[in-house]
Amino acid sequence: MTAKISYDDVEVGTELPAQSFPVTRATLVRYAGASGDFNPIHWNEKFAKEVGLPDVIAHGMFTMAEAARVITDWTGDPAAVAEYGVRFTKPVVVPNDDQGAVIEVSGKVAAKLDDDARTVRVDLTATSAGQKVLGMSRAVVRLA
Amino acid sequence: MALDQSFVGRTYPPTAPYEVGREKIREFAEAIGDANPVYTDTEAAKALGHPDVIAPPTFVFAITFQAAGQVVEDPQLGLDYSRVVHGDQKFTYTRPVRAGDRLTVTSTIETIKSLAGNDILDVRGEVYDEAGEHVVTAVTKLVARAADEEA
């Protein structure tokens, strides 16, 4: 494991570079195939509305995967992620148009956990259409 | 209908091994739009000290969730899957999943709670490699919404 960020170079409050992740219906179909999650709420508008959703929604695990990229792009080596957890608070609604939705993710160092293990806690914030889509989105990250 | 608390602690038999393919990792990385070469280029992975390409952190969910199917579909437990939503997800890694791994999952019902008529179930999936070494633990919180909530 070779993170490119040094434990000594971060402090509580250090911000990770924020990113925006676009998501269209095509993105969801592709993710369904890659992940094996073919729940029709992620691609069939009629079905989604029948079960009370406003429209097709993104897979929660897709949002979780995108949010992780703010950390793995920061560390370089994804193996730096020792723990990662989220709560799915609101769905990412993906309309059937050219634009789809956008997931905005930011993160910051919330705590320096262990000077020997060189671990920090990173808190992530993920929003779409102004709504927080992940809660308690936290990772323990092992730095160089 | 509240779920039977006596299922807490129940462990299901380990799944048949899932062999992690490098093209499956590539497909997953492309599906999340992640161009990190550690997922697709063996040399890039080796440069970071990995024996082969590794999988993105959430890749393993496809394997643990399939394993959790044993719990979800256990007729004795009687969970109404049509009402289930994914509440929380957490992973604790010993090491990243990598190409060539043959992974088995042992699922355990960690907690069962009833809150405002919703059944809340934590399923822990322990993922081991062929040598029996721990790779990752996935805890999936499933929420079965109350029947009278829909209006």
Side-chain angles (χ1 to χ4, degrees), chain B:
Chain B
M1 187 186 67
L3 296 175
D4 183 351
Q5 284 288 334
S6 73
F7 279 75
V8 173
R10 179 169 296 208
T11 294
Y12 292 77
T15 55
Y18 174 103
E19 186 168 327
V20 178
R22 71 182 63 246
E23 294 304 330
K24 191 65 196 175
I25 293 176
R26 178 193 300 275
E27 181 189 3
F28 187 88
E30 286 177 352
I32 62 169
D34 195 333
N36 192 328
V38 74
Y39 303 135
T40 52
D41 177 347
T42 309
E43 293 312 312
K46 284 183 176 167
L48 292 175
H50 304 296
D52 205 330
V53 293
I54 64 170
T58 62
F59 174 88
V60 76
F61 181 78
I63 306 166
T64 60
F65 191 63
Q66 195 174 28
Q70 288 178 103
V71 181
V72 167
E73 290 157 16
D74 182 343
Q76 290 182 296
L77 178 65
L79 190 68
D80 180 357
Y81 190 63
S82 69
R83 300 193 174 281
V84 168
V85 295
H86 194 181
D88 293 23
Q89 181 61 40
K90 184 169 185 196
F91 300 102
T92 306
Y93 304 91
T94 295
R95 67 161 173 87
V97 168
R98 56 186 176 238
D101 273 338
R102 288 171 59 82
L103 303 175
T104 58
V105 186
T106 303
S107 299
T108 300
I109 299 179
E110 200 162 64
T111 58
I112 294 176
K113 284 184 207 159
S114 188
L115 200 65
N118 298 329
D119 285 320
I120 303 168
L121 190 71
D122 279 344
V123 180
R124 189 179 75 240
E126 300 281 3
V127 181
Y128 297 95
D129 65 16
E130 208 168 16
E133 300 288 331
H134 180 260
V135 177
V136 53
T137 298
V139 178
T140 300
K141 187 183 291 292
L142 299 173
V143 181
R145 292 166 296 156
D148 57 351
E149 193 191 59
E150 260 173 41

Side-chain angles (χ1 to χ4, degrees), chain A residues 18 23-24 27 34 36-37 45 51 55 69 98 100 113 120 136 139-140:
Chain A
V23 43
T24 65
T27 317
D37 182 347
E45 190 166 317
V51 298
D55 205 332
R69 287 178 56 194
D98 293 342
L113 299 174
V120 298
M136 307 284 290
V140 173

Side-chain angles (χ1 to χ4, degrees), chain A residues 97-127:
Chain A
D97 58 26
D98 293 342
Q99 302 206 304
V102 176
I103 303 166
E104 316 256 9
V105 184
S106 61
K108 64 172 193 297
V109 175
K112 293 187 86 168
L113 299 174
D114 186 331
D115 290 349
D116 295 324
R118 304 177 82 75
T119 47
V120 298
R121 194 183 97 212
V122 171
D123 288 2
L124 297 170
T125 304
T127 61

Side-chain angles (χ1 to χ4, degrees), chain A residues 11-93:
Chain A
E11 51 196 61
V12 172
T14 296
E15 292 187 6
L16 284 62
Q19 295 192 55
S20 295
F21 304 101
V23 43
T24 65
R25 293 289 177 86
T27 317
L28 297 184
V29 169
R30 188 170 196 165
Y31 183 79
S35 69
D37 182 347
F38 294 102
N39 188 327
I41 61 173
H42 305 305
W43 51 269
N44 183 329
E45 190 166 317
K46 179 170 169 284
F47 183 90
K49 288 180 173 169
E50 275 170 11
V51 298
L53 294 166
D55 205 332
V56 162
I57 63 169
H59 303 72
M61 289 305 299
F62 175 81
T63 303
M64 186 176 188
E66 298 301 351
R69 287 178 56 194
V70 165
I71 298 172
T72 56
D73 286 354
W74 181 60
T75 59
D77 188 352
V81 179
E83 292 177 32
Y84 178 38
V86 305
R87 173 161 295 167
F88 303 107
T89 49
K90 291 266 189 217
V92 174
V93 178

